[in-house]
Amino acid sequence: MDIGFQLYSARNYSLADVLKKVAALGYTQVEGYGALYANPDPAALKALLDQNGLTMPTAHISLGDLEDTKKTLKLAETLGIKVVVCPWLAPEQRPTSAEGWTSFGEKLQKIGKPFQDAGLGFGYHNHDFEFVSYNGRYGMDYLLEAAPAVDCEADVAWIVRGNADPAKWLEANGQRIIAIHVKDLAPAGTAEDEGGWADAGHGTVPWKALWPIIRTKTRAGYFIAEHDNPNDIDRFASRAIATIKALGA
């Protein structure tokens, strides 16, 4: 099983050093994020990936850049991206009603079509704010209903932080889920210097119970280690890949 590393996790560290580290640990894929595509430029970034035997099949690309179809298609061509993912919404962009989430889903459906027409996958990555309930349903559910062609990159720790049941939600939406962010939550009141996050497998997310659901009830083909604010990148990267390998294919 190929294992990916979300480079946002290492935004405070040297990119060249991080790529060497993750390749040496056994990661074969990385996932990009917005600021990365400007420094270094995409061609230089691709050269760094190639030097380390890494690929970037999935990438987080801001909503604004996704709306610039030509720019993003060129980026995907340069970096070998197979799936483009809308990674989040700024607070002022976030819907606050069922109707708002439906409208946003319809917007994503339109934005994604030219990428799908070009042979790329197109998805949305959740945080916790999509799991606010409106009329007994989550905002994320309204989004997916209104955007039947849009896939989901499920960030399980954010689902838990949103007070949803990850097992139930993953199984119910498995056919929409093509990628999984494997990260963890620290026990309440701990790891405050790391935003309350933990290394995958070293927190409170029940990964051993969730993994069979992920592997048998979803379409997930990308498994990406992430930590939003690690204070020790070596510790996180090594622990995360060990956890994913132990969970098994």
Side-chain angles (χ1 to χ4, degrees), residues 23-136:
L25 286 169
Y27 291 92
T28 55
Q29 301 173 346
V30 293
E31 183 170 71
Y33 68 98
L36 186 66
Y37 312 130
N39 184 26
D41 66 69
L45 176 56
K46 181 62 165 63
L48 279 173
L49 296 176
D50 290 347
Q51 287 169 19
N52 290 283
L54 297 166
T55 62
M56 188 182 287
T58 65
H60 283 191
I61 299 173
S62 71
L63 184 61
D65 282 340
L66 288 171
E67 291 179 296
D68 188 341
T69 305
K70 183 177 180 180
K71 175 183 176 181
T72 298
L73 283 174
K74 179 62 176 177
L75 179 72
E77 180 183 7
T78 301
L79 292 173
I81 296 164
K82 307 299 183 186
V83 180
V84 293
V85 179
C86 179
W88 85 307
L89 290 174
E92 66 275 11
Q93 296 175 306
R94 296 171 190 172
T96 57
S97 67
E99 293 78 13
W101 281 108
T102 294
S103 178
F104 178 61
E106 292 170 347
K107 179 178 181 177
L108 278 183
Q109 178 86 355
K110 292 177 182 177
I111 290 173
K113 189 175 188 305
F115 299 108
Q116 294 160 337
D117 288 346
L120 301 178
F122 182 82
Y124 181 80
H125 165 275
N126 69 277
H127 286 73
D128 57 348
F129 55 82
E130 298 90 350
F131 288 88
V132 173
S133 182
Y134 305 96
N135 306 319

